Amino acid sequence: MTKRILVLQGHPDASQQHLLHMLADAYAAAAQRAGHEVRTLRIADLDFPLLRSQQEWEHEPVPASLAQAQADIGWAQHLVLFFPLWLGDMPALVKGFLEQVARPGFAFDYPEGKPFAAKRLTGRSARVVVTMGMPAIFYRWYFRAHSVKSLERNILGFVGYSPVRATLIGMTGGMKLAAAQKWKRKIAALGKRGD
């Protein structure tokens, strides 16, 4: 079954290519070859302000520079978010982007008289691909992958994405070319399946 897939490249450094860029490109290319419809977006190429109040978030429009990004999220059946782990979490640019696009009225609603939000992005799946300097197993078991779990539950799950799967790639700082190519093949296989 083919899918509409949005690949979100969340590496904040747009000045050079990183492992994450290679992986995201491999995913997108393999997905396209398999017949999936693919759109890609590099968050670092977008210019947008950070939100500074609940008033802004709930009542002001999404910045014009993010209108197409929000439309692409609405279009996609499957979202793939790539980012490096910085200080144990997603980079601030990624968090700022998600805060801007996951607005009430688009990603969820507050039904009157109901204690919980209504999810507006149900029926969609997501995959999160995270690179880090430490061993991935150490991050997963010692740190309990806290930031990835928070993203899965408090952002993606909150607005309706299910299932949300994670691919954690550790020891990237000194990764040899052979290991990088192995990860490229693994990520391309996910793209081919639309997973």
Side-chain angles (χ1 to χ4, degrees):
M1 181 178 94
T2 61
K3 294 180 181 175
R4 296 188 308 270
I5 300 172
L6 176 60
V7 176
L8 280 174
Q9 172 53 260
H11 201 297
D13 184 4
S15 69
Q16 57 184 317
Q17 288 292 103
H18 296 272
L19 174 64
L20 269 177
H21 294 101
M22 178 185 73
L23 297 177
D25 291 346
Y27 183 101
Q32 286 175 324
R33 283 193 303 272
H36 301 289
E37 291 182 66
V38 180
R39 295 181 185 176
T40 59
L41 180 64
R42 289 171 46 130
I43 297 173
D45 291 341
L46 303 172
D47 184 25
F48 58 91
L50 296 178
L51 287 169
R52 298 186 179 271
S53 71
Q54 184 175 350
Q55 168 69 22
E56 279 182 79
W57 186 59
E58 290 181 343
H59 302 292
E60 292 188 14
V62 170
S65 61
L66 295 181
Q68 185 59 52
Q70 196 178 60
D72 289 344
I73 290 168
W75 166 87
Q77 297 168 307
H78 184 63
L79 178 74
V80 188
L81 174 58
F82 291 80
F83 65 84
L85 193 71
W86 283 10
L87 293 176
D89 207 340
M90 69 182 84
L93 185 69
V94 176
K95 181 70 162 54
F97 171 82
L98 293 174
E99 288 175 354
Q100 282 284 14
V101 296
R103 300 279 192 103
F106 169 73
F108 65 96
D109 284 316
Y110 291 122
E112 195 169 324
K114 305 275 185 182
F116 299 107
K119 303 171 182 187
R120 295 193 66 183
L121 297 176
T122 58
R124 301 154 201 265
S125 57
R127 176 165 296 275
V128 180
V129 179
V130 184
T131 58
M132 61 197 71
M134 73 178 87
I137 194 164
F138 188 71
Y139 175 69
R140 187 180 295 278
W141 297 109
Y142 182 78
F143 290 108
R144 307 273 190 226
H146 62 89
S147 63
V148 172
K149 287 182 181 177
S150 177
L151 171 63
E152 291 171 353
R153 181 185 60 241
N154 302 334
I155 299 175
L156 297 174
F158 179 75
V159 300
Y161 286 92
S162 180
V164 178
R165 296 182 177 91
T167 301
L168 307 179
I169 305 171
M171 304 298 291
T172 59
M175 185 175 280
K176 304 285 187 218
L177 181 58
Q181 291 298 325
K182 183 178 177 182
W183 275 112
K184 181 180 178 182
R185 289 190 297 274
K186 287 182 179 181
I187 297 297
L190 292 174
K192 182 178 180 181
R193 294 196 310 264
D195 182 10

